[in-house]
Amino acid sequence: MGHHCCSKHKVKRGLWSPEEDEKLFNYITVHGHACWSTVPREAGLQRCGKSCRLRWMNYLKPDLKRGSFSVEEERVIIDVHRILGNRWAQIAKHLPGRTDNEVKNFWNSCIKKKLIAQGLDPKTHNLMPASRLSAAAAGNNSDELFQSSTTTTVPFTISSLNRGFDRAKGFDKMAIPPALMAPPQSNVALHESTVPAAALSDLHCQDSHVLMSFANASSSSPSLGPMNYAAASSSSFINDQTGNFMDDCVWDGGDMEQHFESLNHIEVVGDDEVVQRKDEVVQVQTCTLGNEKQGLMMEAYCGFDLEMMDSSLLPCGDFYSGGGGGGGSMEQLQWHC
DNA sequence: AACTCAGGCAACCGCGGGTAT
DNA sequence: GATACCCGCGGTTGCCTGAGT
């Protein structure tokens, strides 16, 4: 078949020869690539412009880093993928010298398997239910597995009327958006506080509106980092008067404002503070529930790429909902919070 | 040595968005 | 506004290579 852009010409396909590489490299080095469609003709190549562009971007470009991925790069990929999903080009931007194709291949051939081995769903980065784990272990089709897991999990839904909430316990099963569960060293984490890590393991909260799942991957997943998330005080998310989950959660925060303002049910007011923690300047975001500021805190670490967050939150909604059934945008996540 | 198989990688394909006409 | 073209992206395919038998 071939690209429509080159269907009119007789073009060569398949692997590039060293001679072709040299022609393309020399041409681009001298003339640049203002218009890829003219490059093959002017460079004397029997290729289509698309193919030339791909070859240049993925192989010939001088600043490309070759060789295997470092542990740090792997970590970045996992962290960013947790937030962006399969947006390889965006992920690659966080890895100088790496191409989207390279990142994608590395993910599919290596990281994905590692996550599965750790019992994590590579799509959601959440723990897979035991049933699916055993299916994975049995060698079932992993894609079906992921499909199944994403259609049954709604990881970021909080609503009111948590009739079963046990106030004495102080917390119950909260859904923390995976996008906000990134490891402290790179992205955003909830402030670790009074809730013991063990208590957060495999939490589930159900009420008439919502199933919230909270998977504690801290112990099993080095890639996710230790205790990536923690609930804040017991009153977080809970209306003091009723003990119910709040319908309208307000995120306070300066920089975060622009990144949440597109979400229908999130209102952002500015008021954040900057504190020093170890060597990092940490911006503390306080979540306000209803009219009162509650104890939920977020830390936007200094290295966090807010642009990335900006570009990712909405798609993440679709991503996490698996695209099936509910339409899956953040709007539907009832993050009335 | 020959064969099989799985993993890794490079390239292709189709689609969507942006821009020019 | 409609159409054509170009570019960039993500998904997929197919080839190559090395390990295992």
Side-chain angles (χ1 to χ4, degrees):
Chain A
M1 194 144 117
H3 307 141
H4 68 270
C5 66
C6 52
S7 56
K8 20 188 160 163
H9 309 293
K10 193 173 183 178
V11 296
K12 187 185 170 193
R13 295 175 54 189
L15 294 180
W16 281 66
S17 68
E19 292 75 26
E20 288 177 308
D21 281 343
E22 190 182 352
K23 280 183 182 177
L24 180 61
F25 183 84
N26 288 338
Y27 178 82
I28 299 296
T29 303
V30 175
H31 301 95
H33 52 80
C35 180
W36 282 111
S37 57
T38 62
V39 165
R41 179 166 38 87
E42 296 182 8
L45 291 161
Q46 303 293 313
R47 298 270 183 177
C48 70
K50 245 181 154 175
S51 184
C52 292
R53 177 188 159 273
L54 202 66
R55 186 63 178 173
W56 174 261
M57 295 294 191
N58 289 338
Y59 193 81
L60 296 176
K61 215 159 76 167
D63 56 349
L64 291 180
K65 190 193 290 183
R66 312 300 299 182
S68 54
F69 283 78
S70 68
V71 174
E72 185 54 36
E73 286 176 314
E74 179 179 335
R75 186 172 200 93
V76 169
I77 293 171
I78 293 171
D79 291 346
V80 181
H81 183 276
R82 190 203 330 271
I83 298 171
L84 297 180
N86 294 0
R87 299 163 100 189
W88 307 117
Q90 292 294 315
I91 296 172
K93 285 178 183 171
H94 294 266
L95 299 163
R98 301 295 188 181
T99 69
D100 55 346
N101 207 35
E102 217 175 354
V103 171
K104 179 173 58 182
N105 285 334
F106 183 56
W107 176 270
N108 287 327
S109 65
C110 185
I111 298 179
K112 201 156 123 179
K113 288 167 192 169
K114 281 188 186 176
L115 292 180
I116 292 171
Q118 292 170 0
L120 299 171
D121 185 332
K123 281 191 177 177
T124 64
H125 295 253
N126 288 335
L127 274 179
M128 285 191 283
S131 58
R132 279 191 277 275
L133 276 177
S134 56
N140 287 10
N141 182 295
S142 58
D143 288 338
E144 287 177 16
L145 224 88
F146 305 148
Q147 184 69 29
S148 170
S149 89
T150 53
T151 53
T152 55
T153 301
V154 184
F156 189 33
T157 303
I158 295 176
S159 79
S160 61
L161 302 175
N162 179 37
R163 302 299 180 202
F165 180 72
D166 181 353
R167 299 191 69 182
K169 266 189 184 170
F171 62 88
D172 208 314
K173 304 187 167 211
M174 295 178 288
I176 301 299
L180 301 181
M181 289 166 59
Q185 61 269 40
S186 59
N187 298 330
V188 170
L190 296 179
H191 193 280
E192 185 168 353
S193 68
T194 59
V195 182
L200 289 169
S201 179
D202 193 29
L203 293 174
H204 287 281
C205 170
Q206 281 183 276
D207 64 22
S208 57
H209 286 152
V210 61
L211 160 66
M212 290 184 277
S213 61
F214 199 147
N216 181 4
S218 62
S219 58
S220 62
S221 172
S223 63
L224 292 180
M227 197 55 204
N228 292 334
Y229 50 85
S233 72
S234 60
S235 60
S236 298
F237 301 111
I238 308 303
N239 180 310
D240 284 339
Q241 306 303 314
T242 66
N244 293 337
F245 277 83
M246 299 301 300
D247 279 324
D248 51 346
C249 168
V250 181
W251 290 92
D252 285 356
D255 289 345
M256 294 300 279
E257 177 173 356
Q258 65 193 48
H259 304 295
F260 284 120
E261 64 190 2
S262 59
L263 307 182
N264 281 357
H265 303 295
I266 293 179
E267 182 185 346
V268 179
V269 297
D271 162 358
D272 52 7
E273 54 182 315
V274 176
V275 300
Q276 190 78 24
R277 181 168 127 167
K278 293 182 183 173
D279 295 331
E280 300 172 317
V281 175
V282 178
Q283 191 161 7
V284 177
Q285 310 286 341
T286 307
C287 178
T288 301
L289 297 163
N291 296 324
E292 297 180 51
K293 225 174 239 187
Q294 304 288 335
L296 178 67
M297 302 174 78
M298 292 174 55
E299 295 176 1
Y301 286 80
C302 51
F304 183 57
D305 185 343
L306 290 170
E307 279 184 25
M308 175 181 73
M309 185 87 172
D310 183 35
S311 65
S312 67
L313 277 172
L314 287 172
C316 273
D318 190 47
F319 172 63
Y320 289 121
S321 69
S329 72
M330 286 294 281
E331 298 168 24
Q332 293 184 300
L333 291 176
Q334 295 190 23
W335 180 229
H336 290 288
C337 168

